[in-house]
PDB file of all heavy atoms in Angstrom:
ATOM      1  N   PHE A 110      46.675 -39.990   4.251  1.00 90.00           N
ATOM      2  CA  PHE A 110      46.595 -41.337   3.815  1.00 90.00           C
ATOM      3  C   PHE A 110      47.251 -41.686   2.582  1.00 90.00           C
ATOM      4  O   PHE A 110      47.130 -42.807   1.999  1.00 90.00           O
ATOM      5  CB  PHE A 110      45.109 -41.704   3.747  1.00 90.00           C
ATOM      6  CG  PHE A 110      44.357 -41.438   4.999  1.00 90.00           C
ATOM      7  CD1 PHE A 110      43.429 -40.327   5.088  1.00 90.00           C
ATOM      8  CD2 PHE A 110      44.626 -42.188   6.197  1.00 90.00           C
ATOM      9  CE1 PHE A 110      42.727 -40.015   6.198  1.00 90.00           C
ATOM     10  CE2 PHE A 110      43.959 -41.683   7.443  1.00 90.00           C
ATOM     11  CZ  PHE A 110      42.950 -40.743   7.327  1.00 90.00           C
ATOM     12  N   ALA A 111      47.956 -40.723   1.992  1.00 90.00           N
ATOM     13  CA  ALA A 111      48.589 -40.995   0.748  1.00 90.00           C
ATOM     14  C   ALA A 111      49.907 -41.967   0.994  1.00 90.00           C
ATOM     15  O   ALA A 111      50.539 -41.816   2.084  1.00 90.00           O
ATOM     16  CB  ALA A 111      49.145 -39.659   0.171  1.00 90.00           C
ATOM     17  N   GLN A 112      50.270 -42.804   0.115  1.00 89.00           N
ATOM     18  CA  GLN A 112      51.425 -43.583   0.165  1.00 89.00           C
ATOM     19  C   GLN A 112      52.564 -42.771  -0.458  1.00 89.00           C
ATOM     20  O   GLN A 112      52.600 -42.642  -1.687  1.00 89.00           O
ATOM     21  CB  GLN A 112      51.131 -44.942  -0.558  1.00 89.00           C
ATOM     22  CG  GLN A 112      50.025 -45.755  -0.069  1.00 89.00           C
ATOM     23  CD  GLN A 112      50.211 -46.259   1.530  1.00 89.00           C
ATOM     24  OE1 GLN A 112      51.387 -46.669   1.735  1.00 89.00           O
ATOM     25  NE2 GLN A 112      49.221 -45.897   2.321  1.00 89.00           N
ATOM     26  N   ASN A 113      53.478 -42.334   0.374  1.00 89.00           N
ATOM     27  CA  ASN A 113      54.485 -41.394  -0.084  1.00 89.00           C
ATOM     28  C   ASN A 113      55.787 -42.078  -0.329  1.00 89.00           C
ATOM     29  O   ASN A 113      56.344 -42.800   0.572  1.00 89.00           O
ATOM     30  CB  ASN A 113      54.662 -40.316   1.041  1.00 89.00           C
ATOM     31  CG  ASN A 113      55.614 -39.212   0.676  1.00 89.00           C
ATOM     32  OD1 ASN A 113      56.540 -39.362  -0.129  1.00 89.00           O
ATOM     33  ND2 ASN A 113      55.419 -38.125   1.344  1.00 89.00           N
ATOM     34  N   GLN A 114      56.281 -41.969  -1.443  1.00 89.00           N
ATOM     35  CA  GLN A 114      57.583 -42.659  -1.901  1.00 89.00           C
ATOM     36  C   GLN A 114      58.571 -41.536  -2.059  1.00 89.00           C
ATOM     37  O   GLN A 114      58.777 -40.905  -3.145  1.00 89.00           O
ATOM     38  CB  GLN A 114      57.410 -43.400  -3.121  1.00 89.00           C
ATOM     39  CG  GLN A 114      56.284 -44.524  -3.005  1.00 89.00           C
ATOM     40  CD  GLN A 114      56.263 -45.269  -4.336  1.00 89.00           C
ATOM     41  OE1 GLN A 114      57.214 -45.404  -5.067  1.00 89.00           O
ATOM     42  NE2 GLN A 114      54.962 -45.723  -4.658  1.00 89.00           N
ATOM     43  N   GLY A 115      59.390 -41.255  -0.935  1.00 86.00           N
ATOM     44  CA  GLY A 115      60.451 -40.273  -0.957  1.00 86.00           C
ATOM     45  C   GLY A 115      59.967 -38.836  -1.316  1.00 86.00           C
ATOM     46  O   GLY A 115      60.823 -38.150  -1.916  1.00 86.00           O
ATOM     47  N   ASP A 116      58.810 -38.525  -0.924  1.00 86.00           N
ATOM     48  CA  ASP A 116      58.277 -37.166  -1.142  1.00 86.00           C
ATOM     49  C   ASP A 116      58.345 -36.860  -2.693  1.00 86.00           C
ATOM     50  O   ASP A 116      58.385 -35.658  -3.087  1.00 86.00           O
ATOM     51  CB  ASP A 116      59.031 -36.111  -0.469  1.00 86.00           C
ATOM     52  CG  ASP A 116      58.608 -36.011   1.086  1.00 86.00           C
ATOM     53  OD1 ASP A 116      57.524 -36.626   1.322  1.00 86.00           O
ATOM     54  OD2 ASP A 116      59.304 -35.397   1.818  1.00 86.00           O
ATOM     55  N   GLN A 117      58.292 -37.916  -3.556  1.00 90.00           N
ATOM     56  CA  GLN A 117      58.255 -37.626  -4.961  1.00 90.00           C
ATOM     57  C   GLN A 117      57.165 -38.409  -5.677  1.00 90.00           C
ATOM     58  O   GLN A 117      56.640 -37.869  -6.723  1.00 90.00           O
ATOM     59  CB  GLN A 117      59.588 -37.993  -5.567  1.00 90.00           C
ATOM     60  CG  GLN A 117      60.780 -37.225  -5.071  1.00 90.00           C
ATOM     61  CD  GLN A 117      62.024 -37.490  -5.740  1.00 90.00           C
ATOM     62  OE1 GLN A 117      62.161 -38.439  -6.749  1.00 90.00           O
ATOM     63  NE2 GLN A 117      63.099 -36.867  -5.508  1.00 90.00           N
ATOM     64  N   VAL A 118      56.797 -39.543  -5.196  1.00 92.00           N
ATOM     65  CA  VAL A 118      55.695 -40.339  -5.856  1.00 92.00           C
ATOM     66  C   VAL A 118      54.700 -40.592  -4.726  1.00 92.00           C
ATOM     67  O   VAL A 118      54.995 -41.067  -3.581  1.00 92.00           O
ATOM     68  CB  VAL A 118      56.237 -41.630  -6.388  1.00 92.00           C
ATOM     69  CG1 VAL A 118      55.040 -42.548  -7.035  1.00 92.00           C
ATOM     70  CG2 VAL A 118      57.326 -41.464  -7.448  1.00 92.00           C
ATOM     71  N   PHE A 119      53.362 -40.279  -5.151  1.00 92.00           N
ATOM     72  CA  PHE A 119      52.283 -40.287  -4.175  1.00 92.00           C
ATOM     73  C   PHE A 119      51.195 -41.166  -4.710  1.00 92.00           C
ATOM     74  O   PHE A 119      50.648 -40.881  -5.783  1.00 92.00           O
ATOM     75  CB  PHE A 119      51.840 -38.998  -3.815  1.00 92.00           C
ATOM     76  CG  PHE A 119      52.964 -38.000  -3.364  1.00 92.00           C
ATOM     77  CD1 PHE A 119      53.628 -37.244  -4.196  1.00 92.00           C
ATOM     78  CD2 PHE A 119      53.122 -37.903  -1.936  1.00 92.00           C
ATOM     79  CE1 PHE A 119      54.624 -36.376  -3.846  1.00 92.00           C
ATOM     80  CE2 PHE A 119      54.142 -37.091  -1.519  1.00 92.00           C
ATOM     81  CZ  PHE A 119      54.988 -36.343  -2.510  1.00 92.00           C
ATOM     82  N   ASP A 120      50.816 -42.211  -4.002  1.00 92.00           N
ATOM     83  CA  ASP A 120      49.715 -43.028  -4.379  1.00 92.00           C
ATOM     84  C   ASP A 120      48.501 -42.705  -3.446  1.00 92.00           C
ATOM     85  O   ASP A 120      48.535 -42.822  -2.228  1.00 92.00           O
ATOM     86  CB  ASP A 120      50.068 -44.586  -4.224  1.00 92.00           C
ATOM     87  CG  ASP A 120      51.221 -44.995  -5.143  1.00 92.00           C
ATOM     88  OD1 ASP A 120      51.169 -44.469  -6.303  1.00 92.00           O
ATOM     89  OD2 ASP A 120      52.077 -45.752  -4.714  1.00 92.00           O
ATOM     90  N   ILE A 121      47.372 -42.317  -4.178  1.00 92.00           N
ATOM     91  CA  ILE A 121      46.197 -41.920  -3.456  1.00 92.00           C
ATOM     92  C   ILE A 121      45.093 -42.892  -3.805  1.00 92.00           C
ATOM     93  O   ILE A 121      44.853 -43.070  -5.017  1.00 92.00           O
ATOM     94  CB  ILE A 121      45.855 -40.491  -3.772  1.00 92.00           C
ATOM     95  CG1 ILE A 121      47.004 -39.542  -3.366  1.00 92.00           C
ATOM     96  CG2 ILE A 121      44.463 -40.007  -3.038  1.00 92.00           C
ATOM     97  CD1 ILE A 121      46.757 -38.090  -3.772  1.00 92.00           C
ATOM     98  N   ALA A 122      44.356 -43.356  -2.769  1.00 91.00           N
ATOM     99  CA  ALA A 122      43.254 -44.330  -3.028  1.00 91.00           C
ATOM    100  C   ALA A 122      42.012 -43.882  -2.310  1.00 91.00           C
ATOM    101  O   ALA A 122      42.202 -43.456  -1.162  1.00 91.00           O
ATOM    102  CB  ALA A 122      43.681 -45.802  -2.664  1.00 91.00           C
ATOM    103  N   LEU A 123      40.989 -43.933  -2.922  1.00 90.00           N
ATOM    104  CA  LEU A 123      39.615 -43.508  -2.471  1.00 90.00           C
ATOM    105  C   LEU A 123      38.614 -44.707  -2.608  1.00 90.00           C
ATOM    106  O   LEU A 123      38.689 -45.353  -3.637  1.00 90.00           O
ATOM    107  CB  LEU A 123      39.123 -42.178  -2.933  1.00 90.00           C
ATOM    108  CG  LEU A 123      39.975 -40.924  -2.564  1.00 90.00           C
ATOM    109  CD1 LEU A 123      39.522 -39.817  -3.378  1.00 90.00           C
ATOM    110  CD2 LEU A 123      40.039 -40.686  -1.183  1.00 90.00           C
ATOM    111  N   ARG A 124      37.650 -44.762  -1.741  1.00 85.00           N
ATOM    112  CA  ARG A 124      36.518 -45.654  -1.954  1.00 85.00           C
ATOM    113  C   ARG A 124      35.258 -44.877  -1.863  1.00 85.00           C
ATOM    114  O   ARG A 124      35.006 -44.063  -0.926  1.00 85.00           O
ATOM    115  CB  ARG A 124      36.559 -46.739  -0.843  1.00 85.00           C
ATOM    116  CG  ARG A 124      35.322 -47.664  -1.021  1.00 85.00           C
ATOM    117  CD  ARG A 124      35.402 -48.831   0.015  1.00 85.00           C
ATOM    118  NE  ARG A 124      36.551 -49.713  -0.263  1.00 85.00           N
ATOM    119  CZ  ARG A 124      36.917 -50.762   0.433  1.00 85.00           C
ATOM    120  NH1 ARG A 124      36.285 -51.011   1.636  1.00 85.00           N
ATOM    121  NH2 ARG A 124      37.959 -51.541   0.073  1.00 85.00           N
ATOM    122  N   LEU A 125      34.488 -44.991  -2.931  1.00 78.00           N
ATOM    123  CA  LEU A 125      33.243 -44.282  -2.926  1.00 78.00           C
ATOM    124  C   LEU A 125      32.048 -45.306  -2.732  1.00 78.00           C
ATOM    125  O   LEU A 125      31.918 -46.345  -3.360  1.00 78.00           O
ATOM    126  CB  LEU A 125      33.036 -43.661  -4.464  1.00 78.00           C
ATOM    127  CG  LEU A 125      34.137 -42.844  -4.864  1.00 78.00           C
ATOM    128  CD1 LEU A 125      33.748 -42.335  -6.359  1.00 78.00           C
ATOM    129  CD2 LEU A 125      34.366 -41.693  -4.063  1.00 78.00           C
ATOM    130  N   ARG A 126      31.218 -44.940  -1.749  1.00 78.00           N
ATOM    131  CA  ARG A 126      30.055 -45.579  -1.524  1.00 78.00           C
ATOM    132  C   ARG A 126      28.764 -44.746  -1.912  1.00 78.00           C
ATOM    133  O   ARG A 126      28.556 -43.723  -1.445  1.00 78.00           O
ATOM    134  CB  ARG A 126      29.871 -45.981  -0.008  1.00 78.00           C
ATOM    135  CG  ARG A 126      30.938 -46.961   0.514  1.00 78.00           C
ATOM    136  CD  ARG A 126      30.747 -47.334   1.988  1.00 78.00           C
ATOM    137  NE  ARG A 126      31.704 -48.222   2.482  1.00 78.00           N
ATOM    138  CZ  ARG A 126      31.558 -49.596   2.395  1.00 78.00           C
ATOM    139  NH1 ARG A 126      30.432 -50.074   1.919  1.00 78.00           N
ATOM    140  NH2 ARG A 126      32.452 -50.319   2.859  1.00 78.00           N
ATOM    141  N   MET A 127      27.951 -45.347  -2.835  1.00 70.00           N
ATOM    142  CA  MET A 127      26.834 -44.689  -3.385  1.00 70.00           C
ATOM    143  C   MET A 127      25.589 -45.420  -2.917  1.00 70.00           C
ATOM    144  O   MET A 127      25.497 -46.634  -3.097  1.00 70.00           O
ATOM    145  CB  MET A 127      26.978 -44.517  -4.847  1.00 70.00           C
ATOM    146  CG  MET A 127      27.979 -43.458  -5.216  1.00 70.00           C
ATOM    147  SD  MET A 127      28.512 -43.720  -6.951  1.00 70.00           S
ATOM    148  CE  MET A 127      29.589 -45.146  -6.754  1.00 70.00           C
TER     149      MET A 127
END
Side-chain angles (χ1 to χ4, degrees):
F110 307 109
Q112 300 299 311
N113 188 333
Q114 302 177 32
D116 282 345
Q117 295 187 358
V118 178
F119 304 89
D120 296 321
I121 300 175
L123 296 171
R124 177 174 294 174
L125 306 181
R126 290 184 179 273
M127 288 159 286

